[in-house]
Amino acid sequence: MFLSSNRSARRMFPMDVRGTVTLLALFLTAPAALQSAEFPAELVEFEPYAENPIFGGAGPGHWDAKIRERGWVRREADGYSMWYTGYDGNKGTIKLLGYATSSDGLHWTRFPGNPLVADHWVEDMMVLKRGPTYYMVAEGRSDIAQWLTSTDKLHWERRGSLDVRHTDGRPITTGPYGTPTLWHEHGVWYLFYERGDRGVFSFHPGDVAAV
């Protein structure tokens, strides 16, 4: 994981470098003049953090010798939480879910009970919280999107693959559909995903139970 910063940086903002590492950017709320711009400076003008990387694989002999794909960072009252994907370094081996915490977003401590999910492939995840429940959407084996839930950020229950359909109710064609991202606004759930790295698609389930 590498960090980039805006010169007026103060807050964490998660970004994604597909297939490699998670990039964290720091930014401040833009001045009024910048807020009216189409692309505010704090979203597009960055410089590398001098002490990169701030998080990486644990090295040979560890379950997370290497990390890959998108990780996800949330800031809450108790500090920063990060979910990430670790594996032993061999391309074909199972990719597992890890967890780390930080008080400042720069110095991270791995959870001693990692991996959180030891029997199922979880990578390229994102996490959204509604009420007491954390919703995770992630890729499983063969880039098949799935969802999991938790109430404590550590114990996750797999709910199955995401059932994505065309507007006429037909299931989408067989094949990979990954990099899932949930969005909830005005009481409505939205899902964004990609197919074969060719583009971004959207799905509007309306109710999370439909996901």
Side-chain angles (χ1 to χ4, degrees), residues 1 4 10 13 37 41 50 59 63 65-66 88 119 127 132 139 142 148 187 190 198 200:
M1 179 185 297
S4 293
R10 294 284 178 82
F13 181 71
W63 74 271
K66 292 186 177 182
D88 63 10
D119 61 350
V127 177
E139 291 179 359
S142 302
L148 308 90
Y190 300 89
R198 294 191 300 271
V200 178

Side-chain angles (χ1 to χ4, degrees), residues 4-12 25-31 34 40-43 45-47:
S4 293
S5 65
N6 180 272
R7 290 186 175 84
S8 58
R10 294 284 178 82
R11 291 194 285 131
M12 298 297 294
L26 292 173
F27 71 97
L28 261 183
T29 301
L34 286 178
E42 67 271 26
L43 295 182
E45 296 180 6
F46 298 98
E47 57 186 29

Side-chain angles (χ1 to χ4, degrees), residues 33-82:
L34 286 178
Q35 288 179 358
S36 62
E38 183 176 4
F39 298 107
E42 67 271 26
L43 295 182
V44 296
E45 296 180 6
F46 298 98
E47 57 186 29
Y49 179 57
E51 297 182 28
N52 278 330
I54 61 172
F55 189 84
H62 296 272
W63 74 271
D64 55 350
K66 292 186 177 182
I67 62 173
R68 76 173 205 169
E69 287 283 6
R70 173 183 54 170
W72 199 262
V73 174
R74 280 185 60 89
R75 183 183 181 185
E76 297 182 288
D78 58 352
Y80 295 91
S81 293
M82 177 173 61

Side-chain angles (χ1 to χ4, degrees), residues 118-129:
D119 61 350
H120 193 79
W121 191 302
V122 180
E123 67 175 330
D124 203 355
M125 79 293 295
M126 70 84 59
V127 177
L128 182 151
K129 185 181 182 185

Side-chain angles (χ1 to χ4, degrees), residues 77-135:
D78 58 352
Y80 295 91
S81 293
M82 177 173 61
W83 296 270
Y84 68 96
T85 298
Y87 69 113
D88 63 10
N90 296 311
K91 184 176 180 179
T93 56
I94 189 170
K95 308 304 183 287
L96 301 174
L97 178 64
Y99 180 71
T101 57
S102 173
S103 61
D104 60 6
L106 298 174
H107 305 91
W108 293 89
T109 300
R110 284 171 161 82
F111 177 59
N114 279 336
L116 301 185
V117 178
D119 61 350
H120 193 79
W121 191 302
V122 180
E123 67 175 330
D124 203 355
M125 79 293 295
M126 70 84 59
V127 177
L128 182 151
K129 185 181 182 185
R130 295 295 299 170
T133 303
Y134 293 87
Y135 296 90

